């Protein structure tokens, strides 16, 4: 049922496994999460609706929490939206929650911070069950050292040196509120939260920390590398399949029951 006199702004909280997709944003020559979601939305809302996302994600990157919004005049309950969309989505994308939000709410511009987690499987032999979900790294990792080094990322910096050369973003200053490296058994995690991230920024952070672990970059050099704004001084770009958009934070919790 539709109510043409009332437009609703609906926020969806998604979770997706990004292996099969070339990131979030619609592309003309590749399958993306946004395209698949819009296909499901069209089946449920009987229109091809515009969908706004909270962030771009790279090809092969996963999301534990991803926020999108859409405008509609269809009257359908939040639970009904969740059930209907999930019945039309493939198994690697799921809608976790649905809430009506103010019309002015935008999932990208109203975001206070994002948290990313990069997962490394740190063991001599690869785990076949993790090949899509963690970067297999078989060298020893000194977690305490890398956690100390990662603190250099905290603060407001120009991250030009931690951005892909393909990026055309003009403002490369970002504020990182927290960064840490920790181990759980054979898994090593890099967790970082900030007000925004550049293209490939987290993956370059991880690659740089691994270069420090390998002795290719001297411990204590990170502040100098950040200040240089030179991509060539930072480390490699870690592969995408270990990266997760883990949390998106808003000034008000739009998913109050999550």
């Amino acid at each position: 049922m539709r109510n043409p006199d009332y437009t609703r702004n609906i926020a969806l909280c998604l979770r997706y496994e990004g292996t099969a997709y070339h990131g979030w944003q619609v592309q003309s020559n590749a399958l993306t999460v946004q395209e698949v979601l819009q296909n499901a939305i069209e089946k449920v809302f009987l229109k091809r609706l515009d969908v706004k996302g909270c962030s771009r994600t790279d090809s092969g990157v996963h999301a534990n929490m991803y926020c999108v919004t859409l405008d509609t005049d269809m009257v359908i309950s939040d639970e009904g939206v969740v059930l209907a969309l999930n019945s039309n989505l493939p198994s690697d994308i799921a809608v976790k929650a649905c809430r009506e939000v103010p019309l002015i709410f935008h999932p990208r511009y109203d975001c206070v911070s994002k948290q990313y987690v990069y997962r490394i499987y740190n063991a001599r032999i690869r785990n076949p069950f993790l090949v899509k979900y963690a970067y297999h790294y078989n060298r020893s990792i000194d977690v305490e050292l890398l956690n100390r080094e990662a603190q250099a990322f905290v603060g407001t910096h120009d991250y030009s040196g931690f951005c892909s050369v393909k990026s055309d973003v003009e403002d490369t200053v970002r504020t990182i509120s927290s960064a840490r490296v920790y181990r759980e058994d054979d898994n090593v995690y890099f967790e970082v939260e900030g007000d925004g991230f550049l293209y490939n920024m987290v993956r370059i952070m991880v690659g740089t920390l691994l270069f420090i672990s390998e002795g290719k970059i001297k411990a204590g050099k990170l502040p100098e590398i950040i200040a240089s704004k030179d991509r060539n001084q930072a480390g490699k770009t870690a592969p995408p399949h270990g990266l997760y958009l883990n949390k998106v934070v808003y000034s008000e919790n739009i998913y109050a029951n999550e």
Side-chain angles (χ1 to χ4, degrees):
M1 185 174 68
R2 298 188 182 279
N3 182 353
D5 297 323
Y6 180 52
T7 299
R8 306 169 65 211
N9 189 21
I10 293 176
L12 305 175
C13 181
L14 310 179
R15 173 181 286 164
Y16 59 81
E17 197 269 90
T19 303
Y21 305 104
H22 288 255
W24 159 258
Q25 192 168 5
V26 167
Q27 299 177 32
S28 60
N29 59 350
L31 185 66
T32 67
V33 177
Q34 184 180 17
E35 179 184 347
V36 173
L37 177 63
Q38 283 185 297
N39 290 342
I41 288 171
E42 185 172 8
K43 291 179 181 177
V44 173
F45 291 90
L46 307 178
K47 286 184 179 180
R48 190 73 175 178
L49 298 177
D50 180 44
V51 176
K52 302 178 182 69
C54 65
S55 178
R56 295 184 180 184
T57 56
D58 298 343
S59 177
V61 171
H62 315 297
N64 285 324
M65 179 181 181
Y66 190 96
C67 179
V68 307
T69 58
L70 59 94
D71 291 343
T72 180
D73 61 0
M74 182 173 282
V75 180
I76 179 172
S77 69
D78 294 342
E79 183 179 5
V81 171
V82 172
L83 294 174
L85 286 177
N86 283 331
S87 68
N88 285 283
L89 284 167
S91 59
D92 51 9
I93 303 174
V95 177
K96 297 167 58 181
C98 170
R99 300 286 184 274
E100 185 172 345
V101 292
L103 292 175
I104 61 172
F105 176 82
H106 193 290
R108 178 179 177 186
Y109 301 122
D110 289 330
C111 174
V112 174
S113 68
K114 298 184 182 78
Q115 183 189 84
Y116 281 90
V117 171
Y118 194 94
R119 183 180 184 183
I120 299 169
Y121 182 64
N122 186 216
R124 189 173 66 86
I125 305 299
R126 69 181 179 274
N127 183 337
F129 296 104
L130 294 179
V131 291
K132 297 179 182 179
Y133 311 115
Y135 172 36
H136 177 225
Y137 184 85
N138 60 12
R139 300 186 185 190
S140 176
I141 294 178
D142 185 338
V143 170
E144 292 185 1
L145 168 65
L146 295 193
N147 186 53
R148 290 195 301 270
E149 291 293 306
Q151 302 318 302
F153 292 128
V154 177
T156 301
H157 306 290
D158 185 333
Y159 277 100
S160 303
F162 289 78
C163 179
S164 168
V165 294
K166 297 179 182 179
S167 175
D168 57 0
V169 174
E170 294 183 4
D171 181 8
T172 51
V173 175
R174 298 291 185 272
T175 298
I176 300 301
S177 55
S178 66
R180 66 175 180 136
V181 179
Y182 62 97
R183 177 184 292 276
E184 293 181 355
D185 299 322
D186 288 332
N187 294 283
V188 173
Y189 297 92
F190 173 58
E191 178 185 285
V192 60
E193 185 166 342
D195 63 357
F197 294 87
L198 303 172
Y199 183 40
N200 285 350
M201 180 172 160
V202 179
R203 291 166 58 193
I204 296 170
M205 286 174 159
V206 172
T208 303
L209 289 172
L210 291 178
F211 268 24
I212 292 172
S213 182
E214 296 168 14
K216 294 178 180 178
I217 293 176
K218 187 177 179 181
K221 290 273 288 183
L222 258 180
E224 181 181 328
I225 293 171
I226 294 169
S228 76
K229 298 182 283 187
D230 181 0
R231 175 66 187 91
N232 293 321
Q233 291 197 35
K236 64 183 179 180
T237 303
H241 60 277
L243 183 60
Y244 298 75
L245 175 56
N246 194 51
K247 183 171 66 174
V248 186
V249 180
Y250 296 95
S251 56
E252 294 185 13
N253 184 3
I254 60 171
Y255 303 111
N257 296 327
E258 279 297 289

